[in-house]
Amino acid sequence: MRDVSKFYGNIKALEGVSLEVHPGEITCVLGDNGAGKSTLIKIIAGLHQHDTGGFAIDGEEARLGSPREALDRGIATVYQDLAVVPLMPVWRNFFLGSEPTKGRGPFKRLDVAHMRRTTHSELLRMGIDLRDVDQPIGTLSGGERQCVAIARAVYFGAKVLVLDEPTAALGVKQSGVVLKYVAAARDAGLGVVLITHNPHHAYLVGNRFVLLKRGTMAGSHTKEQLELDELIRQMAGGSELEQLSHELERAPSPHLGGGITG
């Protein structure tokens, strides 16, 4: 993406944002709420189209008209609120909307054995040893559900995997599990876009970092160009945070009056 902008009427959602995604690398997009991360995801996923700037896939200019078109071009997006059916088995969710069948005509039916077997083997290939793919996906932890979604995208031929805040609602241990499978997707040759507001998670797995602030780029770096401390400083606002620190130091201590008399 080169100098991409998106406007909703008079509202500037994104302005002049550039982004590179390469096979076998993780590009992290960092920013607070309202920074423009959601708009960026929607453009990459084909939900919205950019107004100005360039968007190229494999060197060819693109203007995606729908999420299906994005999928056909190899771009899979896994949203924070995963689109799963909690009471359905893991294997059914893995193939949801793309169920293989066997037989013909009136004898056509779902190939359940193939779906069970494939789900188990694909999860195992990503390092997820799920004992029972018949269990409802709602019984899995949030981290495990994220991992199933990642394995599904890899299986269905994604070249680019966009992950929307995959660790936002998870604890430290589950976040570590998800980051491990994000790295596995990278090692499988996918280009990964990791949307996050957590610089620690980003620095653990990222190769490139794009910082957004109020719809504009606040920075773009490779891992070789900055240390974690500098990423945290930029993410936190840098000079703004220092200014706030000085203001807080100068702020007079609130004077509390005497006790309540009865």
Side-chain angles (χ1 to χ4, degrees):
M1 304 178 85
R2 298 180 315 278
D3 295 323
V4 163
S5 297
K6 178 68 182 175
F7 302 91
Y8 298 103
N10 293 326
I11 298 169
K12 175 187 72 178
L14 278 184
E15 187 173 25
V17 173
S18 297
L19 180 79
E20 286 182 42
V21 184
H22 297 267
E25 284 190 5
I26 297 174
T27 298
C28 299
V29 179
L30 299 103
D32 288 328
N33 292 336
K37 304 192 301 293
S38 296
T39 303
L40 186 68
I41 291 173
K42 287 170 183 171
I43 294 172
I44 298 172
L47 279 164
H48 293 175
Q49 293 186 343
H50 56 290
D51 293 322
T52 62
F55 182 13
I57 302 171
D58 288 331
E60 180 185 328
E61 285 298 319
R63 186 171 282 274
L64 302 174
S66 68
R68 171 49 62 186
E69 197 177 325
L71 273 172
D72 291 343
R73 297 294 298 269
I75 299 172
T77 304
V78 177
Y79 293 98
Q80 188 179 334
D81 50 343
L82 295 171
V84 297
V85 184
L87 295 178
M88 277 188 179
V90 174
W91 62 264
R92 191 69 195 267
N93 275 278
F94 191 92
F95 281 93
L96 200 60
S98 304
E99 293 87 349
T101 57
K102 59 182 179 179
R104 293 183 181 180
F107 301 104
K108 196 174 190 179
R109 61 197 185 280
L110 292 177
D111 193 345
V112 175
H114 170 73
M115 286 191 276
R116 281 192 179 117
R117 189 170 58 249
T118 302
T119 300
H120 185 267
S121 63
E122 287 302 310
L123 292 176
L124 196 59
R125 194 160 74 88
M126 290 288 288
I128 309 165
D129 189 7
L130 203 60
R131 292 183 299 278
D132 182 15
V133 295
D134 278 302
Q135 69 189 94
I137 199 166
T139 63
L140 301 183
S141 69
E144 288 169 330
R145 289 198 295 274
Q146 286 280 354
C147 297
V148 170
I150 292 169
R152 183 184 193 277
V154 172
Y155 174 72
F156 282 103
K159 293 189 224 171
V160 173
L161 180 61
V162 183
L163 298 166
D164 173 25
E165 299 271 11
T167 62
L170 305 178
V172 174
K173 188 174 180 182
Q174 285 295 319
S175 294
V177 169
V178 172
L179 291 174
K180 182 174 143 192
Y181 298 124
V182 172
R186 173 200 65 200
D187 295 342
L190 276 73
V192 180
V193 180
L194 176 63
I195 312 291
T196 181
H197 63 265
N198 189 317
H200 295 276
H201 292 170
Y203 202 79
L204 276 172
V205 295
N207 301 100
R208 297 169 184 270
F209 307 95
V210 172
L211 286 91
L212 297 183
K213 184 177 180 182
R214 295 174 195 156
T216 61
M217 287 185 67
S220 179
H221 312 277
T222 61
K223 193 163 192 172
E224 293 75 27
Q225 293 173 330
L226 83 170
E227 299 289 331
L228 173 59
D229 289 347
E230 177 60 18
L231 180 64
I232 293 170
R233 194 187 76 82
Q234 290 195 26
M235 176 78 186
S239 58
E240 289 180 21
L241 198 65
E242 288 168 17
Q243 178 65 30
L244 176 62
S245 174
H246 292 316
E247 286 176 14
L248 290 174
E249 283 173 14
R250 289 199 302 267
S253 300
H255 179 68
L256 298 177
I260 298 172
T261 55

